[in-house]
Amino acid sequence: MKPLTADDARGVAGEVDKRAEQESQDPEVIKGYAEGPWLDQLLAAAENGRKYGTSTPPGPTNSPEVAPAVHAWAGAGTGAGERWILAASEVSSHAVGASQNSAELRWSLHHEGKDGTWRATFRAYAPTVSALPAPAVGPDGQGVTGGDTSKLAADPAEVCGRYYDYRNGKNGTDASDTGWDADIDAARVTRAEGLKGLPERLDNPKSLTTQQEPTRTPYGPLWRTVDGGALVACLSVNTLTVDMGPGRYQTFTSSGWSGTTGIRWNKYTQTQLGMTMLKIPAGPGEVSIGAEASWPYTFDGTRYDGS
């Protein structure tokens, strides 16, 4: 199989993005340009629209302007002949419902299916347009994937689960856990403070539960970086369940879940699909976030009937 050049990879990433702009809600059309977790998110959004009577799920509050991929690297996966692309594309800052994305650079993963079609599988946002990924490139011009991980600052096979456990204070992890940079520490504190104030922000419901279920192993290839480190993609499903109690309801004025605004909800469960690209340094060092996003996923609710 002929390796993709950098120009080939940029062209593929740009073409996949162009097909994705169709905004079709036909599952078969969506399957033509998305797979994996990104396909799951798009199909869930389409199903929400059908379930709640809205044909088009909410797009960005201000639509992003997608430029041709700024950079793209082709690399091998774990299977024979498997090919991936890691791309970085410029976009304008935007928000989708309650999910804020103020970044200017979108990192994405693309995978070539057995039918030879390239599809988008993963999307997250970096904080600045200059925050490009830095994959190592081999003599063949391809991004270097896999290899010896024994000298990395964290085990790539475990880092996703450890990251989500630490950030959310689960499974006995606490602030004494080491190996995380200051941004991850700050996000941990912000989340804890946000959870404390959540009941009041939701008008003190009868019951409220939150849960995060991470996929504990990385998604896609392990991309090696020019400094000897690595990039790994991580996934999690975050769930919020609210029961307002008898005679009470909540109404959304803004939401990332199609067809859910302007309705009096007595109970509801909403999930978000988290996508995070972690940077693991070589040798001693701290794991940091390269890019991150939280996408509206599934929604199920019980309408308030006046009783």
Side-chain angles (χ1 to χ4, degrees):
M1 185 179 295
K2 182 181 177 181
L4 294 179
T5 66
D7 284 342
D8 291 336
R10 281 192 291 270
V12 168
E15 179 59 30
V16 172
D17 286 337
K18 185 185 297 184
R19 280 187 280 139
E21 306 256 329
Q22 299 175 64
E23 297 185 352
S24 172
Q25 297 309 297
D26 182 337
E28 294 308 310
V29 173
I30 296 172
K31 291 175 185 177
Y33 60 79
E35 70 172 49
W38 188 241
L39 173 63
D40 292 344
Q41 192 275 335
L42 293 177
L43 292 180
E47 176 59 28
N48 285 341
R50 288 188 291 271
K51 184 176 182 179
Y52 296 109
T54 303
S55 59
T56 304
T61 305
N62 3 327
S63 280
E65 296 175 0
V66 179
V70 181
H71 291 281
W73 299 263
T78 55
E82 189 179 36
R83 299 200 295 183
W84 291 76
I85 289 173
L86 168 61
S89 305
E90 291 185 43
V91 298
S92 32
S93 302
H94 65 283
V96 180
S99 182
Q100 301 295 319
N101 288 316
S102 59
E104 297 179 83
L105 192 73
R106 183 181 66 207
W107 292 18
S108 58
L109 291 177
H110 304 77
H111 179 250
E112 185 180 34
K114 293 181 179 179
D115 61 357
T117 300
W118 285 90
R119 296 173 174 88
T121 70
F122 179 99
R123 287 185 172 186
Y125 288 87
T128 68
V129 74
S130 61
L132 288 166
V137 177
D140 59 358
Q142 303 296 285
V144 179
T145 57
D148 180 17
T149 62
S150 62
K151 293 181 172 57
L152 293 176
D155 183 351
E158 299 178 354
V159 73
C160 290
R162 281 189 59 226
Y163 164 72
Y164 289 119
D165 287 347
Y166 177 71
R167 184 158 171 171
N168 298 300
K170 292 179 64 176
N171 300 337
T173 59
D174 56 33
S176 65
D177 191 10
T178 58
W180 311 106
D181 83 338
D183 287 343
I184 293 177
D185 285 337
R188 172 189 172 93
V189 173
T190 298
R191 183 179 189 278
E193 292 176 347
L195 288 177
K196 288 180 182 178
L198 189 58
E200 184 177 351
R201 292 198 302 275
L202 295 179
D203 198 22
N204 295 309
K206 174 186 175 183
S207 67
L208 181 158
T209 60
T210 61
Q211 185 177 12
Q212 183 173 72
E213 290 296 330
T215 300
R216 306 196 73 82
T217 54
Y219 175 76
L222 174 74
W223 298 85
R224 303 312 294 258
T225 53
V226 293
D227 59 2
L231 300 172
V232 295
C234 303
L235 301 166
S236 70
V237 175
N238 310 306
T239 304
L240 170 67
T241 300
V242 174
D243 181 352
M244 296 304 296
R248 302 185 66 214
Y249 61 86
Q250 188 176 130
T251 304
F252 305 145
T253 57
S254 175
S255 170
W257 291 266
S258 181
T260 63
T261 58
I263 296 172
R264 299 187 301 180
W265 296 108
N266 176 249
K267 303 175 184 178
Y268 61 88
T269 297
Q270 60 189 31
T271 65
Q272 290 183 289
L273 183 60
M275 297 187 179
T276 305
M277 190 78 78
L278 293 177
K279 298 191 293 185
I280 308 174
E286 297 176 332
V287 175
S288 60
I289 298 171
E292 189 167 40
S294 184
W295 302 100
Y297 201 25
T298 63
F299 183 95
D300 186 49
T302 301
R303 298 172 189 251
Y304 174 68
D305 61 7
S307 60

